[in-house]
């Protein structure tokens, strides 16, 4: 059964979505992310993916108070990412109630630091963010593309013990154009032990079904939900 993870992206304390990570293509879907999180819980979801877009841009956590309000006012299992550049950021996220943190840029720019966090906090607590544009890992809120190719990048961290990977195909994100199933299938064929969380492009229930048929363990979706493209009653929410 594919794990279904709705997403809340936060700018200025509001629930928003971007298109292809472009801050100039921003749409506000809910002025109150806490109310949105509560709605997800009422619908039966158990997990929530939160992205601090202000944090990603500022290179440090910004919306920790929103995170804390969500974790104290719901029972959702929250993973939190965006702007995690230091151990202080990680501690703030965990203290605010996050169960897991997603770390991307540091795994590219300071691999030894990332590995030290993996060792300290454990593979169940650290999600490797592997966001891809034109085959390269993108960093710093998707504003920069690194020289790292996806599969070799994954290999060194899988070999080091990484179990959870969140992969966004940036060209798909917020476009409702369908997920990059071929990319995710390739990742799973290389590393079948991964708990891979697919992100970007989901536009319908059929997309989720096709990801599940392809053996993808988990999926994050946002815009498709907010735009009414997903029939919640037909989802098999566990």
């Amino acid at each position: 059964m594919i794990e279904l993870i709705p997403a809340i992206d936060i700018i200025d304390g509001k629930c928003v979505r971007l298109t292809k990570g472009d801050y100039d293509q921003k749409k506000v879907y809910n002025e109150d992310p806490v109310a949105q999180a509560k709605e997800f819980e009422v619908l039966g979801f158990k997990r929530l993916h939160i992205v601090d877009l202000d944090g990603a841009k500022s290179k440090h956590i910004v919306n920790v108070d929103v995170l804390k309000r969500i974790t104290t006012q719901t029972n959702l299992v929250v993973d939190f990412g965006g702007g995690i550049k230091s151990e202080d950021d990680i501690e703030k996220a965990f203290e605010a109630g996050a169960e897991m943190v997603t770390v991307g840029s540091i795994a590219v720019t300071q691999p030894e630091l990332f590995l030290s966090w993996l060792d300290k906090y454990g593979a169940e607590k650290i999600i490797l963010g592997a966001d891809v544009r034109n085959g390269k890992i993108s960093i710093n809120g998707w504003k920069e593309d690194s020289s790292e190719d996806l599969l070799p990048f994954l290999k060194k961290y899988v070999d080091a013990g990484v179990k959870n990977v969140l992969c966004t195909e940036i060209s798909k994100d917020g476009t409702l154009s369908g997920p990059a199933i071929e990319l995710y299938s390739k990742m799973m064929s290389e590393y079948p032990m991964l708990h891979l969380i697919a992100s970007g492009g989901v536009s319908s229930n059929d997309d989720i079904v096709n990801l599940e048929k392809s053996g993808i363990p988990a999926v994050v979706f946002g815009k498709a939900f907010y735009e009414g493209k997903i029939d919640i009653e037909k989802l098999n929410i566990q």
Side-chain angles (χ1 to χ4, degrees):
M1 187 67 61
I2 192 167
E3 186 177 21
L4 303 171
I5 310 173
I8 290 177
D9 293 359
I10 304 170
I11 291 179
D12 296 330
K14 300 173 183 177
C15 177
V16 307
R17 295 302 286 176
L18 308 181
T19 299
K20 299 182 182 179
D22 184 352
Y23 284 74
D24 292 326
Q25 297 187 61
K26 176 183 73 177
K27 184 172 181 179
V28 177
Y29 284 100
N30 198 320
E31 298 278 339
D32 185 357
V34 181
Q36 186 60 64
K38 288 179 177 179
E39 180 184 342
F40 285 135
E41 186 171 37
V42 168
L43 290 169
F45 293 103
K46 304 294 190 293
R47 276 282 303 273
L48 179 63
H49 174 63
I50 298 179
V51 181
D52 182 353
L53 289 173
D54 293 313
K57 205 170 187 179
S58 302
K59 300 186 180 181
H60 61 84
I61 287 180
V62 173
N63 287 290
V64 69
D65 290 341
V66 178
L67 168 63
K68 188 167 186 176
R69 285 192 290 126
I70 288 173
T71 60
T72 54
Q73 295 181 45
T74 74
N75 292 309
L76 293 165
V77 174
V78 175
D79 70 84
F80 182 87
I84 293 179
K85 307 293 187 188
S86 67
E87 195 160 316
D88 184 54
D89 288 323
I90 292 180
E91 294 290 345
K92 283 180 181 177
F94 285 145
E95 286 170 9
E99 291 285 338
M100 293 156 275
V101 293
T102 301
V103 181
S105 301
I106 290 296
V108 174
T109 61
Q110 299 182 64
E112 292 303 320
L113 181 59
F114 176 84
L115 289 171
S116 74
W117 294 345
L118 188 68
D119 182 59
K120 179 173 181 175
Y121 297 103
E124 301 303 326
K125 292 283 190 179
I126 303 289
I127 300 172
L128 174 64
D131 300 328
V132 184
R133 180 165 45 209
N134 300 321
K136 302 290 187 181
I137 300 293
S138 187
I139 60 174
N140 293 329
W142 301 351
K143 296 193 296 295
E144 303 170 41
D145 293 334
S146 74
S147 60
E148 295 267 9
D149 292 312
L150 174 62
L151 291 179
F153 175 76
L154 283 181
K155 177 172 170 48
K156 66 182 175 185
Y157 287 120
V158 170
D159 289 349
V162 162
K163 296 177 182 176
N164 299 289
V165 173
L166 173 72
C167 181
T168 302
E169 169 44 83
I170 295 168
S171 69
K172 296 278 191 179
D173 191 66
T175 64
L176 301 174
S177 60
I181 292 179
E182 185 177 339
L183 172 69
Y184 301 132
S185 297
K186 187 174 183 180
M187 293 169 71
M188 290 304 299
S189 67
E190 290 281 335
Y191 308 110
M193 73 296 292
L194 275 186
H195 186 75
L196 174 62
I197 307 166
S199 172
V202 170
S203 66
S204 65
N205 290 61
D206 286 346
D207 285 337
I208 294 172
V209 169
N210 290 333
L211 284 165
E212 184 170 23
K213 286 180 178 176
S214 300
I216 311 306
V219 58
V220 163
F221 53 86
K223 192 170 187 177
F225 172 86
Y226 297 119
E227 296 280 348
K229 306 291 187 183
I230 291 177
D231 186 338
I232 298 296
E233 291 185 0
K234 293 182 179 178
L235 287 180
N236 195 346
I237 303 174
Q238 298 292 317

